Amino acid sequence: MSVQEETFHGFANPVDPSPAELRSWAYQPDSVPLTSMPPDWDLLVAGDHLVQTLFDLAMDPACPARRFALHCLYIYAADGIRTNFRAHPKRRFRKLVEQAERAGDELMRNWAHNSRVLLARPDLFVYRDWCEGGLVRENRRL
């Protein structure tokens, strides 16, 4: 992963950022504070269009917005699993989980583990953990 050198000047449309905009912001997150983003911005960006970018950012220990990206991956996983993969393709989700297991550090392996646990036991879903950042803050396994 590489550090972004370009200055980030904001999103053309913060409700629908491009992968390049999100990546640029993630390496300079103070340029546009999360508090200035639309309500539930994490829920808005945690979709298929940006999931690979979010995954790449979460895999980079040097990314200043890594924890935000990881938080979005938890939302993505929970959304897919809880909708029986009507919201997101199961194949894409499985590939991300496998990649995190193979090449990820502890944070990413915990995400992969927790995602597999939720896949096997959807009844373990707790909104606070998966959608409000609880599992990211606590860095714990289910």
Side-chain angles (χ1 to χ4, degrees), residues 1-9 11 19-32 41 52-69:
M1 306 292 164
S2 65
V3 174
Q4 303 293 312
E5 296 177 19
E6 212 173 289
T7 301
F8 181 65
H9 297 290
F11 297 99
E21 287 176 327
L22 184 62
R23 182 177 308 281
S24 184
W25 168 81
Y27 286 94
Q28 299 174 27
D30 294 336
S31 61
V32 181
W41 190 60
Q52 186 62 55
T53 302
L54 291 164
F55 184 83
D56 294 343
L57 296 170
M59 288 286 283
D60 183 2
C63 177
R66 181 184 193 202
R67 290 171 60 85
F68 174 79

Side-chain angles (χ1 to χ4, degrees), residues 22 24 51 83 89 109 119 136:
L22 184 62
S24 184
V51 72
T83 64
R109 286 191 310 270
L119 184 59
V136 175

Side-chain angles (χ1 to χ4, degrees), residues 40-104:
D40 298 323
W41 190 60
D42 53 350
L43 301 176
L44 293 172
V45 300
D48 291 320
H49 174 62
L50 296 170
V51 72
Q52 186 62 55
T53 302
L54 291 164
F55 184 83
D56 294 343
L57 296 170
M59 288 286 283
D60 183 2
C63 177
R66 181 184 193 202
R67 290 171 60 85
F68 174 79
L70 181 59
H71 164 62
C72 291
L73 288 179
Y74 272 102
I75 293 170
Y76 181 84
D79 194 31
I81 292 166
R82 288 175 42 83
T83 64
N84 200 25
F85 295 98
R86 286 185 302 277
H88 308 296
K90 189 174 191 176
R91 185 171 185 228
R92 178 179 292 153
F93 166 74
R94 285 193 183 275
K95 283 184 174 187
L96 294 173
V97 168
E98 290 167 3
Q99 187 176 349
E101 289 169 336
R102 266 193 328 274

